[in-house]
Amino acid sequence: MAEIQETSVTSARQKHIVRPSQEMASLGKDDMPVLTKAEGIYVYAEDGRRLIDGPAGMWCTQIGYGRKEVVDAIAHQASTISFASPWYMSTSPSARLAEKIASLTPGDLNRIFFTTGGSTAVDSALRFTEFYNNVLGRPAKKRIISRIDGYHGSTGLAASVTGRKGSWANFDIETDRVSFLSSPNPRHAGSRTEAEFLDDLVKEFEDRIEALGADTVAAFIAEPLLANAGVIIPPKGYHARFKAVCEKHDILYISDEVVTAFGRCGEWFASEKVFDVTPDIITFAKGVTSGYVPLGGFAISDAVIARISGENANGSWFNNGFTYSNQPVSCAAAIANIDLMEREGIVDHARATAGYFRKALESLLDLPGAGAVHSAGLVGCVQCLLDPSQPDGTEEDRAFAARVDEICFDLGLIVRPIAERCVISPPLVITRAQIDDVVGILRKAITQAGEEAGLNAPAGAAAG
């Protein structure tokens, strides 16, 4: 087989790419960094610069880059059987992976449906709620309740339940079917205690169901933590309280764990052990293959499935799927990824390292401009607040955070900038020494940005 040669990718040669979140005024003119190789927690730019991959690609490279075990599994499966129609036949990798994931999910979530990624996982889970209620003879029970600040994907239904208003511009979404609750951002509590804030959020949920009519509401969908909004962590007890309301009204509770599953919060799935809730459905993607190849899916409770299968099927067919459902190469990659994570204790390592990671980020709170830190497991952020008394960032805060991001890149660290929040969610194999490197670069960047902005007094820090 001919050796694949790495080639230079100049800015001019990028002109044919339409990027996700593409600013159309700059179409064909983008000058984005070009990465040529990666190893461990590091990626390498075309100019030879080594960068710490602070966001783990996009919350996904749990095991780091260049792991031969996964690469070999992909190559072996591709050379053995690279594809099989999911409509007519099965392969060993998909069956084995479904069995393995079922052993890791909480409660009785033992039925696994595979998709192509996170957006299609969420979309398919929401379509399942349509199917479910139609089979049960409840055609009016189709509304979905979501939250402001939540992110669930870019396909039709997934985009419709995404509560980040910046994602709505210039698109048509199903607003008639979707109802949004307030963000559970603790910084919005104001003078209320955490318990009072939680009570108000639960009451809003109950009032919304009453207003819409419980017989019209099919599902509530929630990320355990709102990752794409900048690591927003709801008040303690939030998910358990909301699940109880769902059970009262026969509403399916969907936990969107596309970001938090497969070790990101120190557990295989974060819902039960970290956030004290056993959902009816869990969606997943990203970390299931550590980003080596695309794969997503959702796990469904046996109790839910029992209501619309077997003697209760009423002649129904769940006609939802993709050409690449159960894709054998992707499933083989996921098996190898999970095997490696178990063998090396990577989830245990993430759990054991989480406290050190949080304290390291909190050490930055003595810097002007570093207003708050939010973290759970190995996902966290420094919220840049020039005035920490303000609950949300201003345009000045967002500009400050963008400057921090620029300086970090120059110093050898990739940061995920989300508004005024500098997000770090590193590969789960990161060591304490490497965390020190990350925080050391962040310290230099925040200090330099603060000096440029004329800040000279401590910020009056907060952590959450």
Side-chain angles (χ1 to χ4, degrees):
M1 185 172 69
E3 182 179 354
I4 298 174
Q5 299 293 328
E6 291 290 342
T7 58
S8 174
V9 182
T10 64
S11 298
R13 291 179 61 202
Q14 297 184 56
K15 69 180 181 179
H16 301 288
I17 297 174
V18 180
R19 306 178 185 284
S21 193
Q22 175 73 59
E23 182 188 17
M24 297 308 292
S26 63
L27 180 64
K29 303 173 184 177
D30 290 334
D31 187 13
M32 303 290 285
V34 176
L35 304 180
T36 57
K37 65 177 182 177
E39 181 180 21
I41 71 163
Y42 303 99
V43 296
Y44 294 81
E46 190 176 42
D47 60 6
R49 184 185 323 188
R50 187 179 80 166
L51 301 158
I52 299 172
D53 184 8
M58 187 167 275
W59 331 88
C60 61
T61 56
Q62 321 295 64
I63 61 175
Y65 296 97
R67 297 307 301 261
K68 191 172 184 298
E69 299 91 334
V70 178
V71 175
D72 287 348
I74 292 169
H76 175 75
Q77 187 60 47
S79 64
T80 304
I81 178 167
S82 58
F83 180 83
S85 169
W87 274 267
Y88 309 119
M89 56 203 72
S90 184
T91 61
S92 174
S94 61
R96 288 171 53 209
L97 179 60
E99 181 180 25
K100 184 61 183 179
I101 291 175
S103 74
L104 300 173
T105 52
D108 68 342
L109 279 76
N110 294 317
R111 300 285 181 166
I112 313 300
F113 181 87
F114 290 118
T115 70
T116 59
S119 293
T120 51
V122 170
D123 221 82
S124 294
L126 294 174
R127 288 203 74 201
F128 175 82
T129 70
E130 298 173 357
F131 169 78
Y132 175 76
N133 282 298
N134 284 336
V135 174
L136 290 175
R138 307 186 301 198
K141 199 172 176 68
K142 299 292 172 59
R143 287 195 169 111
I144 304 157
I145 297 179
S146 187
R147 287 101 49 88
I148 295 296
D149 284 339
Y151 179 83
H152 300 287
S154 294
T155 51
L157 283 173
S160 292
V161 298
T162 289
R164 302 202 70 203
K165 294 181 180 179
S167 301
W168 298 349
N170 303 315
F171 286 94
D172 300 324
I173 60 175
E174 295 198 35
T175 53
D176 56 323
R177 283 188 56 194
V178 182
S179 184
F180 289 97
L181 301 174
S182 299
S183 170
N185 188 343
R187 290 187 64 85
H188 294 173
S191 60
R192 291 170 289 181
T193 66
E194 182 180 57
E196 290 169 340
F197 181 49
L198 176 55
D199 286 343
D200 288 345
L201 292 170
V202 173
K203 186 177 186 305
E204 180 190 25
F205 187 34
E206 292 173 329
D207 290 347
R208 186 66 53 82
I209 293 169
E210 182 177 359
L212 295 172
D215 59 345
T216 73
V217 180
F220 170 67
I221 185 166
E223 304 156 273
L225 60 82
L226 290 80
N228 208 44
V231 194
I232 292 174
I233 302 170
K236 185 175 177 58
Y238 175 94
H239 292 287
R241 293 275 300 275
F242 271 58
K243 178 62 160 57
V245 174
C246 287
E247 290 176 352
K248 178 180 176 182
H249 297 288
D250 198 8
I251 295 169
L252 293 178
Y253 187 104
I254 303 173
S255 182
D256 184 354
E257 289 222 41
V258 167
V259 168
T260 55
F262 297 97
R264 178 56 55 194
C265 290
E267 300 290 345
W268 287 104
F269 290 91
S271 293
E272 182 182 50
K273 293 186 178 179
V274 182
F275 294 95
D276 196 30
V277 64
T278 302
D280 297 303
I281 296 173
I282 291 179
T283 59
F284 60 85
K286 296 188 185 293
V288 68
T289 66
S290 281
Y292 277 66
V293 288
L295 183 66
F298 64 92
I300 316 172
S301 157
D302 285 342
V304 169
I305 283 287
R307 295 181 68 181
I308 44 87
S309 64
E311 295 179 353
N312 299 319
N314 294 325
S316 62
W317 291 68
F318 182 52
N319 287 320
N320 180 83
F322 309 92
T323 300
Y324 299 106
S325 294
N326 303 348
Q327 215 290 331
V329 175
S330 295
C331 290
I335 291 168
N337 176 60
I338 293 170
D339 285 349
L340 189 154
M341 292 176 75
E342 288 186 323
R343 188 167 60 252
E344 297 189 357
I346 289 174
V347 176
D348 294 337
H349 170 76
R351 188 186 314 117
T353 309
Y356 187 87
F357 175 68
R358 179 182 178 86
K359 288 180 180 178
L361 291 178
E362 287 177 348
S363 73
L364 300 170
L365 290 174
D366 65 327
L367 297 175
V373 161
H374 314 280
S375 76
L378 288 184
V379 56
C381 79
V382 177
Q383 187 175 12
C384 296
L385 297 169
L386 304 185
D387 180 359
S389 68
Q390 297 298 313
D392 293 314
T394 63
E395 286 299 325
E396 290 77 13
D397 295 327
R398 288 186 275 279
F400 183 86
R403 180 59 183 143
V404 171
D405 172 53
E406 291 174 354
I407 299 168
C408 282
F409 190 86
D410 290 340
L411 295 175
L413 170 66
I414 301 172
V415 172
R416 177 84 190 274
I418 299 177
E420 80 284 358
R421 298 175 181 231
C422 298
V423 175
I424 301 291
S425 56
L428 304 186
V429 293
I430 194 169
T431 65
R432 294 190 175 198
Q434 290 168 333
I435 289 173
D436 291 342
D437 291 341
V438 168
V439 174
I441 292 173
L442 276 168
R443 175 169 287 277
K444 291 179 182 177
I446 295 169
T447 299
Q448 181 178 330
E451 290 172 350
E452 292 173 359
L455 305 180
N456 54 20

